[in-house]
Amino acid sequence: MLYIEIPYIDENNRIDRTSAQNEIQMLEISDEEKANVFDAIYHRKPNGVGFDSKDLKEVMLLETALLRLGVPFRRIKE
């Protein structure tokens, strides 16, 4: 399992919510994972999203979107 930790920092509030929502909606991940990512950017909990799949495509797409938005993250293997 891979977990993408998205720590909440004050600078996240400077990211345009509409842009973030559009980036996240384009991802090929479940709606629950999308909601968790959006919440992790703007709130203290949840602080990330876990991926059960062995396919790294979803993880790479999310990391790319977070980089475009300027959101800090860290990949953790569990």
Side-chain angles (χ1 to χ4, degrees):
M1 174 177 213
L2 289 175
Y3 187 79
I4 303 297
E5 180 183 32
I6 304 169
Y8 173 79
I9 57 173
D10 291 333
E11 287 79 15
N12 288 1
N13 287 325
R14 295 184 187 138
I15 299 168
D16 180 58
R17 289 177 183 261
T18 304
S19 297
Q21 189 171 23
N22 290 339
E23 284 283 339
I24 294 167
Q25 288 302 320
M26 290 188 302
L27 298 175
E28 297 174 14
I29 59 177
S30 74
D31 289 338
E32 181 181 349
E33 290 168 339
K34 290 176 184 178
N36 286 342
V37 170
F38 188 80
D39 288 343
I41 293 171
Y42 295 104
H43 305 289
R44 296 194 189 280
K45 300 247 181 194
N47 61 353
V49 63
F51 292 92
D52 289 327
S53 70
K54 294 181 181 178
D55 182 17
L56 292 178
K57 180 181 177 186
E58 293 177 344
V59 174
M60 296 299 293
L61 290 172
L62 174 57
E63 290 176 344
T64 301
L66 292 173
L67 284 171
R68 277 195 299 266
L69 292 169
V71 175
F73 66 90
R74 179 173 60 174
R75 184 190 297 189
I76 301 170
K77 283 188 176 183
E78 292 183 346

